[in-house]
Amino acid sequence: MPKVSPSPLVSLEPALEALRLASAIRTSRLVLLTMFVPAVAMIPTDIAIGRADPSRIGPLVTIRVLSILLISGALGVLSRVRSARGYEVVVTTTSLLTVGISLLFQWYRPPDSMTISRLHLLMMVGFYVATHANLRWQTTAGVLLGVGSSLMFALRPSAIPAFEIVAYVQTCVIANVIGWYLSVQRTKLRTGVDETARQALAHTLRELRVIRGTLAQCSKCRRVGTPDGAWQSLEDYVLAQTDTDFSEALCETCTTAAFPMVTASTKVREVR
């Protein structure tokens, strides 16, 4: 006997996952492209610093080239990522390598310069906001950059006042807290959107029902047998088992048989 079951619609979960991954890749590629421009533009600055202290020019240019190669490589790899796990590995690795390169820049730049450190503050928030990796790795990259940069100011002799160093450390903490909060809120928002989509799908599946199996139909009266042994018309059976409704209409064959004169006159008008 036939049975009624939910409509076999494909789950939305793979589609949602694919959309999330595509959005994350687009965001990360945009951030990397934004980083690529200043990375190239800062080469003359590195050379100018090297002229004042020739011992710095080699390391600074080498580190700058490494940063450009890192950005270029990450852009190329992201274009071939096909899974959320692969995306997380690429973004996490790029973030940690970026932390190392940024700290090397700070080490080889003049100790009295805070220019690169101000860029670090933007990077800390960027690790949380611009990347869609696991929050644990976002926090690791942001904290490592803040701690490493603060330690360099504290341990290297420089003319920077102590209160400015303290203010910088406080700003690093605030930047990490703000980035962490924004990342958590984004995750909550994404979870809410996904749950809304799942509820909409579940509602659709509850509304749509299909009849499966074989219907026993009387060859004379054309009524169909029900699971409880009764017989009823096909229309009544479909109405009882599904949300389908019927309306009155005439097909072309029956219209010709019932109203031959009307059909003939219509054909005459068409010929004319």
Side-chain angles (χ1 to χ4, degrees):
M1 297 301 293
K3 60 180 180 179
V4 179
S5 60
S7 178
L9 295 182
V10 177
S11 172
L12 281 182
E13 193 61 35
L16 290 174
E17 186 66 29
L19 288 174
R20 285 196 297 264
L21 178 60
S23 176
I25 291 175
R26 282 197 301 270
T27 302
S28 299
R29 285 177 60 85
L30 179 61
V31 171
L32 288 171
L33 288 172
T34 305
M35 293 171 57
F36 185 83
V37 175
V40 175
M42 290 291 286
I43 292 179
T45 304
D46 297 334
I47 295 175
I49 294 174
R51 287 175 179 172
D53 186 352
S55 64
R56 299 179 186 270
I57 187 169
L60 283 174
V61 173
T62 300
I63 298 169
R64 182 67 62 185
V65 171
L66 288 176
S67 68
I68 294 174
L69 291 177
L70 174 62
I71 296 172
S72 303
L75 284 170
V77 174
L78 279 176
S79 64
R80 295 190 293 272
V81 168
R82 295 295 180 268
S83 66
R85 177 61 179 169
Y87 167 80
E88 186 169 319
V89 170
V90 172
V91 170
T92 300
T93 303
T94 303
S95 298
L96 295 177
L97 290 175
T98 301
V99 169
I101 289 176
S102 298
L103 293 177
L104 285 175
F105 268 126
Q106 183 176 350
W107 180 261
Y108 282 101
R109 276 176 169 266
D112 298 336
S113 174
M114 292 193 68
T115 302
I116 192 68
S117 301
R118 295 188 179 94
L119 294 177
H120 287 172
L121 296 175
L122 294 176
M123 290 174 60
M124 289 175 204
V125 179
F127 286 142
Y128 296 94
V129 177
T131 62
H132 294 243
N134 187 285
L135 182 59
R136 179 178 66 255
W137 291 111
Q138 292 175 334
T139 305
T140 300
V143 171
L144 281 177
L145 183 58
V147 172
S149 182
S150 300
L151 285 176
M152 285 190 187
F153 278 123
L155 299 178
R156 294 178 70 190
S158 67
I160 300 176
F163 73 89
E164 285 196 21
I165 297 177
V166 173
Y168 175 76
V169 174
Q170 293 174 339
T171 308
C172 287
V173 175
I174 294 173
N176 276 283
V177 171
I178 292 175
W180 182 87
Y181 175 79
L182 293 175
S183 181
V184 170
Q185 292 302 311
R186 181 184 61 191
T187 302
K188 289 182 178 179
L189 178 61
R190 185 181 65 186
T191 302
V193 172
D194 291 350
E195 184 60 28
T196 301
R198 292 189 187 95
Q199 291 177 0
L201 175 62
H203 176 73
T204 302
L205 292 175
R206 286 194 299 267
E207 292 294 321
L208 294 179
R209 295 183 295 170
V210 295
I211 300 176
R212 296 175 178 273
T214 303
L215 281 174
Q217 188 175 41
C218 176
S219 59
K220 182 173 178 60
C221 67
R222 313 308 294 174
R223 289 188 298 173
V224 296
T226 61
D228 57 5
W231 292 85
Q232 60 184 158
S233 67
L234 179 61
E235 291 84 354
D236 292 339
Y237 181 83
V238 173
L239 287 172
Q241 300 296 333
T242 70
D243 297 325
T244 305
D245 201 358
F246 289 89
S247 64
E248 297 293 335
L250 280 174
C251 67
E252 183 178 350
T253 302
C254 293
T255 301
T256 303
F259 308 102
M261 297 302 297
V262 175
T263 306
S265 61
T266 301
K267 291 182 177 180
V268 170
R269 285 197 301 270
E270 290 178 353
V271 170
R272 291 179 180 179

